[in-house]
Amino acid sequence: MDLSDIYIFMSVVEHGSVSRAAEEMGYVQSNVTARIRALEQEIGHPLFHRHRRGMTLNAEGRKLLYYAERMSMLISEMKKAFQDSDDPVGNLLIGSVETVVGLPDILSLFYQKYSKVDLSLMAGVTDKLTEEVQEYKLDGAFVSGPVTATNVEQYPVFEEELVLVCGKCVVDGKQPLFNVRELLHRPLLVFRRGCGYRAKLEQWMQLEGISPTKVMEFGTLETIIGTVVAGLGITVVPRAAVRRLEKEGELQVFAIPKPFNMVSVVYIRRSDTYMGEAERRFMETIEEVREKRRILEHLPV
């Protein structure tokens, strides 16, 4: 079985069509068709349902795809193992929760040092990102820790203070003093389940014996904060994420009791995969930014 046949097979699966796969790979259509038929003959089974709209995997095709993806991953790891350690190249696919305040510093420094590495960033919630790391869909991810998933190792990045925030409210020209516990009865504006910050808020409310009156889920931090500013509810976020809006008087910020007021941001990756030079340098960059931040936090004001 030729490895190039496997790549052709995966391209046909991705595009659902021989013609589109041929165009993408720079082959003539008849060559792709012949290679797929030769592969089916070698396997001993048809691999696709063929119909007017294209081609769809059948049960045997799905079985082959499982092994093809593993082969592709191993080939990728083999290439990583022989990269130039001083000037790595390649691709890194990294996931992150939306509220890692120090992430831009990490990305900026890494790009300055290793511009040949093509780094892509995917946003998500902790549970989903952890699952995608486990399934080899991401090289690594920044998530809320600690993470207890199997086959995953984690490295500390930052400690974030969480705060409760609500929109500005003015009565008779003054901001009223709220009881924080009273605010928990307002609608919750949060990410979907699997978000570490939402989990902290729900644990706190459970301890207080309060059930949410209404929960509104959003896909981005920007939308959540904008909706809070509009006065539609409350949320829990890292203090650093709302410091400017607090200073400008757009939001009211309230301390959260221990142990719900702190969250760890960790970098996770599969423990059983080879760490290529690009990812090794990325983790060194994380540690460098982490150390700089630690020094700044301890400087006298």
Side-chain angles (χ1 to χ4, degrees):
M1 185 179 298
D2 196 315
L3 185 60
S4 61
D5 290 343
I6 294 297
Y7 287 128
I8 289 173
F9 165 73
M10 293 177 69
S11 182
V12 173
V13 172
E14 179 183 356
H15 296 286
S17 162
V18 166
S19 59
R20 288 197 290 272
E23 181 180 355
E24 176 70 22
M25 301 187 77
Y27 294 154
V28 294
Q29 184 173 334
S30 58
N31 186 27
V32 173
T33 299
R35 301 283 284 275
I36 290 296
R37 291 197 181 282
L39 184 60
E40 289 179 320
Q41 186 173 1
E42 186 172 356
I43 293 293
H45 298 279
L47 300 171
F48 295 91
H49 297 296
R50 293 165 169 83
H51 46 78
R52 293 182 189 178
R53 296 187 301 278
M55 300 170 68
T56 306
L57 281 178
N58 61 19
E60 298 301 325
R62 290 193 295 272
K63 186 189 302 182
L64 178 60
L65 180 62
Y66 169 75
Y67 291 104
E69 288 176 337
R70 293 179 65 185
M71 290 171 64
S72 178
M73 181 199 68
L74 288 172
I75 293 296
S76 177
E77 287 194 6
M78 180 183 70
K79 291 178 179 178
K80 288 180 182 178
F82 295 97
Q83 285 181 349
D84 180 357
S85 60
D86 294 325
D87 193 16
V89 297
N91 302 300
L92 271 182
L93 185 55
I94 304 297
S96 177
V97 294
E98 283 221 4
T99 48
V100 181
V101 178
L103 184 57
D105 295 333
I106 295 171
L107 299 180
S108 176
L109 182 59
F110 182 77
Y111 180 75
Q112 290 174 26
K113 290 185 170 184
Y114 310 108
S115 58
K116 291 182 181 179
V117 177
D118 184 9
L119 192 151
S120 300
L121 192 68
M122 307 292 290
V125 296
T126 291
D127 286 0
K128 181 62 175 176
L129 293 173
T130 302
E131 179 182 311
E132 290 181 343
V133 168
Q134 289 180 299
E135 295 175 354
Y136 304 100
K137 294 178 180 178
L138 293 172
D139 293 308
F142 296 94
V143 299
S144 301
V147 173
T148 58
T150 57
N151 296 327
V152 169
E153 56 190 15
Q154 55 193 307
Y155 303 85
V157 183
F158 302 129
E159 289 284 330
E160 299 280 10
E161 179 194 2
L162 295 180
V163 292
L164 180 73
V165 296
C166 70
K168 180 176 63 176
C169 178
V170 177
V171 178
D172 295 331
K174 297 181 180 179
Q175 285 195 155
L177 295 176
F178 289 109
N179 180 303
V180 177
R181 196 173 186 280
E182 293 175 359
L183 292 174
L184 296 179
H185 293 280
R186 294 190 179 188
L188 308 185
L189 313 178
V190 291
F191 289 106
R192 66 182 183 274
R193 288 198 178 277
C195 168
Y197 307 142
R198 174 175 176 170
K200 289 276 189 180
L201 175 57
E202 291 176 338
Q203 291 165 11
W204 176 24
M205 293 181 67
Q206 184 176 14
L207 183 67
E208 295 286 348
I210 299 173
S211 298
T213 56
K214 186 176 183 180
V215 177
M216 301 170 66
E217 295 184 349
F218 299 90
T220 67
L221 178 63
E222 182 181 5
T223 305
I224 291 175
I225 296 300
T227 310
V228 172
V229 169
L232 298 183
I234 61 169
T235 195
V236 165
V237 292
R239 181 182 289 276
V242 293
R243 190 165 282 131
R244 180 182 60 81
L245 290 172
E246 179 186 12
K247 186 176 180 180
E248 294 173 354
E250 295 293 325
L251 289 173
Q252 296 185 74
V253 176
F254 301 87
I256 293 175
K258 296 180 180 180
F260 311 108
N261 64 329
M262 298 298 294
V263 65
S264 299
V265 176
V266 297
Y267 177 79
I268 62 170
R269 63 182 306 277
R270 275 199 67 114
S271 56
D272 58 355
T273 57
Y274 175 82
M275 184 185 296
E277 285 302 325
E279 187 179 10
R280 192 182 310 279
R281 297 296 181 175
F282 185 69
M283 294 188 64
E284 288 176 0
T285 305
I286 293 173
E287 185 57 34
E288 184 175 345
V289 172
R290 182 169 178 254
E291 183 61 26
K292 287 180 179 178
R293 182 169 175 174
R294 187 185 300 119
I295 292 171
L296 287 173
E297 286 175 350
H298 289 85
L299 286 176
V301 178

